[in-house]
Amino acid sequence: MRALTWQGTEKVSVETVPDPTIQEPTDAIVRITSTAICGSDLHLYRVLGPYIDKGDVLGHEPMGIVEEVGSAVTNLKVGDRVVVPFNISCGHCYMCQRGLQSQCETTQVTAYGSGASLFGFTKLYGQVPGGQAEYLRVPHADYGPIKVPDTGADDQWLFMSDILPTAWQGVQYANVPEGGTLTVLGLGPVGQFAARIGKHLGYRVLAVDPVPARRDLAAKYGIETFDMSKDLVAELVDLTDGRGPDAVVDGVGMEAHGNPVADLAQRAAGLLPDKLAQKAIETAGVDRLDAVHTAIDLVRRGGTVSLSGVYGGMADPMPMMTMFDKQITIREGQCNVKRWIDDLMPLVEDPSDPLGTLDLTTHRVSLEDAPHMYEVFQKKEDDCIKVVLDPALPAGSPAAA
């Protein structure tokens, strides 16, 4: 089959690799019909290369058609249309039973002290071949895949694999009071959904992003949008009775703009030999922290900062005095996808599309065009917000939503 593979820092290519096969009775094989590029993939593209081997298959936002099932899989049959959550969980362990599927004790990567295994996401999370491919082996298919109707475009359902439940969890963790104010930092795919979810739940939503096209898309949903500026915190505090918003969702993570020193440190770590780079990442702060520091400065006293963006540094400097003095609650973590599906499915099924699942993709291209689109997405070129790869499209197909 054809699959998008990691070849080096900021270098990926589509190669022919062995077809996946059933390895355990609880496996399934899914033929991929759509698979998206996630902001987290950019961390692998540049920062976390020391934990990847050349040829690893990337991608963790897939959906498709079940082609084969293992003998222990009774909840799926050949021909079913499914969305595959990015975290691999068993559904029956202590953590899964408590709605913490991202901490699944069956698939935890104990060698690195990490939580549940993830598709297409480095040795830190199991080095499981990912879904930017024509076919995908799905472990624990007796629990993980989400069956969806045969009707509707893939984009109606696809984002339940990651970014939609990630945004939902981010807003739930933000603990906004009824009728309160939520600020969303970053209007990439997760930030777009977080802002829309906040508006849907009746909050006032103030959203920040330096890219005009991203602000314009959010504004369509009645969200107040703001550019990055040196006076941003003062401006938003002034708009919230001088206190700051009740909660802030950081939808940016380790690749925030605005810190060239941290940017250089990230690049330097990525260029070291793997063992040295791993040591640097595991013992040093290599994140760009502008977004989370802005969130801490911005949120009102007694408010909540919810981190949906991924961070990877182990010694990041944090303003503990400010956090303590302002009595801030911080919640974070990988999304527990299956925990939120019952909440999200009615909204995704709603013909009125209240969260705009059909209004996020800006580029739908062939799998063969993935290397180019990684670069476009990373550089925020061509008003790119969300890229969906379609293995059925021929190479060079027009990049149309």
Side-chain angles (χ1 to χ4, degrees):
M1 69 170 182
R2 300 290 282 171
L4 190 282
T5 64
W6 189 87
Q7 297 294 327
T9 300
E10 297 187 339
K11 184 179 180 182
V12 294
S13 64
V14 179
E15 306 290 341
T16 299
V17 302
D19 290 342
T21 59
I22 298 289
Q23 298 178 23
E24 300 290 342
T26 52
D27 287 351
I29 304 298
V30 173
R31 174 175 55 83
I32 301 303
T33 57
S34 291
T35 180
I37 300 176
C38 180
S40 298
D41 291 325
L42 298 182
H43 308 330
L44 314 182
Y45 188 59
R46 186 172 71 166
V47 181
L48 296 177
Y51 294 95
I52 312 175
D53 291 331
K54 186 175 181 178
D56 280 359
V57 178
L58 303 183
H60 59 270
E61 295 186 2
M63 69 174 292
I65 307 299
V66 176
E67 293 282 307
E68 187 179 356
V69 296
S71 59
V73 178
T74 59
N75 55 310
L76 299 176
K77 65 181 185 301
V78 173
D80 281 345
R81 189 187 195 193
V82 295
V83 173
V84 182
F86 76 98
N87 38 36
I88 303 170
S89 51
C90 71
H92 56 73
C93 71
Y94 179 93
M95 292 295 177
C96 286
Q97 289 295 302
R98 285 156 179 78
L100 293 168
Q101 290 89 346
S102 67
Q103 309 302 323
C104 175
E105 291 182 330
T106 303
T107 72
Q108 277 180 10
V109 185
T110 55
Y112 286 94
S114 302
S117 296
L118 311 178
F119 287 104
F121 212 85
T122 80
K123 297 172 185 175
L124 291 171
Y125 289 99
Q127 208 168 18
V128 180
Q132 289 171 2
E134 292 182 304
Y135 294 90
L136 176 69
R137 170 184 167 253
V138 181
H140 296 283
D142 55 334
Y143 174 70
I146 303 159
K147 289 176 66 173
V148 298
D150 292 330
T151 57
D154 277 6
D155 286 5
Q156 180 177 354
W157 314 103
L158 175 63
F159 304 125
M160 287 194 295
S161 61
D162 179 355
I163 58 173
L164 186 55
T166 292
W168 186 269
Q169 177 173 293
V171 175
Q172 294 299 314
Y173 280 9
N175 194 32
V176 185
E178 184 176 353
T181 301
L182 171 69
T183 292
V184 176
L185 299 179
L187 285 169
V190 170
Q192 292 285 342
F193 275 139
R196 297 174 191 184
I197 289 165
K199 191 70 176 179
H200 174 77
L201 294 176
Y203 309 141
R204 182 188 184 189
V205 181
L206 315 175
V208 181
D209 198 285
V211 180
R214 297 183 175 202
R215 297 197 302 271
D216 291 345
L217 181 57
K220 288 174 57 178
Y221 291 82
I223 293 152
E224 299 172 61
T225 63
F226 302 84
D227 196 356
M228 292 293 298
S229 73
K230 64 179 182 180
D231 299 320
L232 175 68
V233 171
E235 182 180 4
L236 297 191
V237 166
D238 186 60
L239 288 172
T240 50
D241 299 322
R243 296 188 183 91
D246 298 294
V248 179
V249 170
D250 170 5
V252 180
M254 69 168 74
E255 299 209 25
H257 290 280
N259 192 328
V261 175
D263 182 28
L264 181 62
Q266 283 184 342
R267 288 181 178 273
L271 295 173
L272 291 169
D274 282 358
K275 291 299 182 183
L276 292 177
Q278 289 174 13
K279 191 68 174 178
I281 291 170
E282 292 167 14
T283 60
V286 296
D287 295 318
R288 284 179 272 173
L289 298 171
D290 289 70
V292 68
H293 284 182
T294 297
I296 290 165
D297 289 340
L298 180 59
V299 72
R300 69 161 168 82
R301 293 178 180 273
T304 301
V305 171
S306 175
L307 306 182
S308 291
V310 174
Y311 287 94
M314 288 293 286
D316 289 329
M318 294 292 285
M320 294 302 298
M321 184 173 72
T322 298
M323 293 159 62
F324 182 85
D325 177 66
K326 291 183 70 173
Q327 205 165 332
I328 294 169
T329 297
I330 296 182
R331 293 203 66 180
E332 69 288 307
Q334 296 281 10
C335 179
N336 307 295
V337 173
K338 293 282 285 194
R339 175 175 179 173
W340 308 111
I341 296 305
D342 287 346
D343 294 323
L344 287 167
M345 189 63 80
L347 299 174
V348 175
E349 290 178 328
D350 187 335
S352 71
D353 193 18
L355 301 183
T357 59
L358 296 173
D359 188 30
L360 186 73
T361 301
T362 53
H363 295 71
R364 173 176 284 276
V365 302
S366 75
L367 179 64
E368 300 292 334
D369 293 321
H372 171 63
M373 291 312 303
Y374 262 75
E375 183 177 358
V376 171
F377 185 38
Q378 183 196 43
K379 295 179 178 178
K380 300 180 177 66
E381 296 175 340
D382 195 28
D383 293 339
C384 183
I385 296 175
K386 189 62 177 177
V387 181
V388 175
L389 308 173
D390 183 343
L393 285 176
S397 298

